[in-house]
Amino acid sequence: MKQHTVIDSPYGPLTLVADDGVLCGLYMTDQRHRPPQETFGEAGDGTGPFGAAADQLDAYFSGRLREFTLPLRLAGTPFQRRVWEQLCRIPYGETRTYGELAHALGAPGASRAVGLANGKNPVGIIVPCHRVIGANGSLTGYGGGLARKRRLLDFEQGAGLF
């Protein structure tokens, strides 16, 4: 059974979605590839699976947490899940290019496929897709918008502490 709740963050409201008590979605307002609201299930009260997620997000946004340790249920293709696992290996405050991720996956020609999988990440911030940049160091697509991506990267690199 799916449930959802909305929490506040420095980046605007975040909708958390859980399936059978396990976090399966974190969506920003106006996020590209955001599923329809009716697929999020009933509104929860912020406890249960959402309490731990909210606590860890709060610790992250206050600079006290650098790596999330939440159980996740990520629905995607096997390739997408492999990409999302690689995203979780990018250290806090660092970036990788799409090409570097493709190389790490053993598929050096798959930069574009990595980008597409990155864009479908259902649990942004926690699975840090914002840490992926273009080959020339430029900011490229981010489901939450490039301004949010820049703010998240600046925050992690110490330039935008709240």
Side-chain angles (χ1 to χ4, degrees):
M1 175 180 90
K2 280 195 174 177
Q3 284 186 291
H4 74 278
T5 194
V6 178
I7 63 170
D8 291 326
S9 85
Y11 301 91
L14 300 176
T15 300
L16 303 177
V17 181
D19 186 13
D20 290 329
V22 180
L23 192 68
C24 65
L26 182 157
Y27 301 102
M28 300 173 201
T29 305
D30 301 324
Q31 180 171 333
R32 188 178 30 190
H33 304 299
R34 179 185 169 113
Q37 185 74 23
E38 58 270 13
T39 66
F40 294 163
E42 295 182 17
D45 62 5
T47 61
F50 304 120
D55 289 347
Q56 286 193 29
L57 284 162
D58 181 60
Y60 169 81
F61 293 133
S62 66
R64 295 173 296 153
L65 180 79
R66 292 178 172 232
E67 187 175 330
F68 293 91
T69 57
L70 297 166
L72 301 173
R73 179 173 293 150
L74 303 179
T77 68
F79 181 78
Q80 288 172 331
R81 288 195 307 272
R82 286 180 53 218
V83 169
W84 301 334
E85 288 170 13
Q86 282 297 317
L87 294 176
C88 292
R89 293 185 179 130
I90 303 172
Y92 180 94
E94 294 184 21
T95 58
R96 297 290 184 273
T97 67
Y98 296 97
E100 288 171 329
L101 286 177
H103 218 68
L105 290 166
S111 306
R112 188 173 296 267
V114 165
L116 292 171
N118 196 46
K120 297 282 183 147
N121 172 16
V123 187
I125 301 173
I126 293 171
V127 174
C129 53
H130 61 278
R131 295 179 187 157
V132 184
I133 58 173
N136 64 359
S138 65
L139 294 190
T140 58
Y142 181 61
L146 290 181
R148 278 191 189 118
K149 183 173 187 165
R150 169 53 47 211
R151 283 185 62 209
L152 283 162
L153 289 173
D154 286 348
F155 168 72
E156 287 189 3
Q157 294 167 353
L161 294 175
F162 294 103

